[in-house]
Amino acid sequence: MRPGGRRIAHLGRPMPEGDAVRRTARRLDEALAGGALERADLRVPRFATVDLRGMRVLGTQVVGKHLLTRLADDRRALTVHTHLRMDGQWRTGPVGPPGAPAHQIRVWLATDAQQAVGVRVHMVEVGPTAAESQWVGHLGPDVLAPGFDPGAAAGRLAEAQRPLVEALLDQRLVSGMGTMWAAELAHEAGVDPRTPTHRVAGLGEALAVVCARMHRAVDAHRGVGRRELAVFERTGQPCRRCGTAIRATRVGTAPQQRPTYWCPRCQPPLA
Ligand SMILES: [Zn+2]
């Protein structure tokens, strides 16, 4: 182990960030949108008795990393809210066995032909579509939303005067990025991940570049490839730009510390 460096475990696959959550929403739409629910199990005590059967699925929207599946019938317009966090998944396919142990299933929606099983999904809630802001109203601008303004978001981040990666992970400032894209953004900006946001030159430009990469990942069938990543989970491997070994550290304060990765040569600390 490097002096002063604690080992940071690398996950098998990155946890879902805004681009991956949008790919999930697209799959949900392919499976359910336009159909009427014949099955709607919400396996959370608070909503276990809510009957959504017969409601038409309008589609699933994403705000930040939150999934909003909108339903309607003659009487009601409701939204099923879910979040994937670290390990949640929506599994979609033809109606059949759920493909997961019963205790991991939080939601199970199905039309006459297709189903979507929410495995280990979090924040499972149902409420009026008109009141979705109770779940997403606190979020900062979504980096993948139409009309996202990187310059304005950079201003908002600079005002916060917080360490860069920590600020990018605070969904109240900007939403949709997680540890992967935040680390990539600090590399793009050429600054140490702990640089205070108001001292990062070119933050708006770096945001624009990373947003474009995220948009491409939404459209790519399998998302961003490991070989496209500059620093994320590349501890000890050579920087693709300068060959220096990538380093890892943690940012934020306990218990919300998150790993980040950087090239000490391309991303020097401020003098
Ligand atoms: Zn480098």
Side-chain angles (χ1 to χ4, degrees):
M1 204 190 305
R2 265 177 295 100
R6 277 180 300 158
R7 269 192 88 76
I8 290 174
H10 288 191
L11 301 170
R13 64 190 165 80
M15 79 179 76
E17 304 191 13
D19 53 315
V21 178
R22 274 177 175 72
R23 288 195 303 281
T24 295
R26 192 163 57 202
R27 281 193 299 104
L28 285 168
D29 280 349
E30 286 163 4
L32 302 177
L37 292 178
E38 295 200 352
R39 173 174 205 149
D41 298 349
L42 301 175
R43 299 185 178 175
V44 290
R46 198 172 143 210
F47 298 105
T49 59
V50 175
D51 190 358
L52 304 173
R53 285 174 302 172
M55 295 192 81
R56 187 155 296 278
V57 182
L58 304 181
T60 296
Q61 301 292 313
V62 178
V63 183
K65 293 184 257 180
H66 297 250
L67 288 154
L68 304 169
T69 302
R70 295 176 181 160
L71 314 171
D73 61 17
D74 295 343
R75 300 177 293 122
R76 302 172 291 176
L78 298 177
T79 297
V80 177
H81 170 224
T82 54
H83 196 291
L84 303 175
R85 282 210 194 136
M86 301 269 290
D87 58 343
Q89 287 179 357
W90 272 103
R91 297 184 187 171
T92 55
V95 168
H103 70 275
Q104 293 183 357
I105 298 171
R106 307 271 192 276
V107 197
W108 188 346
L109 305 175
T111 64
D112 59 345
Q114 296 283 316
Q115 68 181 13
V117 181
V119 180
R120 295 184 303 268
V121 295
H122 301 269
M123 301 186 189
V124 177
E125 294 169 291
V126 184
T129 300
E132 285 174 352
S133 65
Q134 66 179 308
W135 303 314
V136 296
H138 65 289
L139 297 174
D142 180 339
V143 294
L144 286 173
F148 174 72
D149 181 344
R156 190 178 167 96
L157 287 160
E159 264 174 42
Q161 304 194 4
R162 302 248 308 270
L164 177 61
V165 165
E166 188 186 306
L168 293 168
L169 295 176
D170 184 339
Q171 305 294 301
R172 296 169 300 184
L173 293 173
V174 286
S175 62
M177 275 191 224
T179 51
M180 181 172 81
W181 291 118
E184 294 291 296
L185 191 145
H187 186 260
E188 179 62 38
V191 296
D192 182 284
R194 294 154 291 201
T195 308
T197 44
H198 61 292
R199 299 194 61 196
V200 178
L203 180 52
E205 289 82 354
L207 264 170
V209 169
V210 168
C211 277
R213 289 176 65 190
M214 290 179 76
H215 276 289
R216 283 199 297 278
V218 173
D219 294 331
H221 181 58
R222 301 185 57 141
V224 67
R226 290 251 162 212
R227 274 176 292 190
E228 296 166 54
L229 297 172
V231 291
F232 179 72
E233 291 191 341
R234 297 194 64 239
T235 316
Q237 297 176 44
C239 172
R240 300 190 201 281
R241 204 175 282 164
C242 76
T244 304
I246 301 298
R247 297 188 62 180
T249 188
R250 288 178 193 274
V251 293
T253 47
Q256 262 140 22
Q257 283 190 307
R258 312 279 296 278
T260 197
Y261 308 83
W262 85 108
C263 168
R265 183 158 176 208
C266 293
Q267 300 171 256
L270 290 182

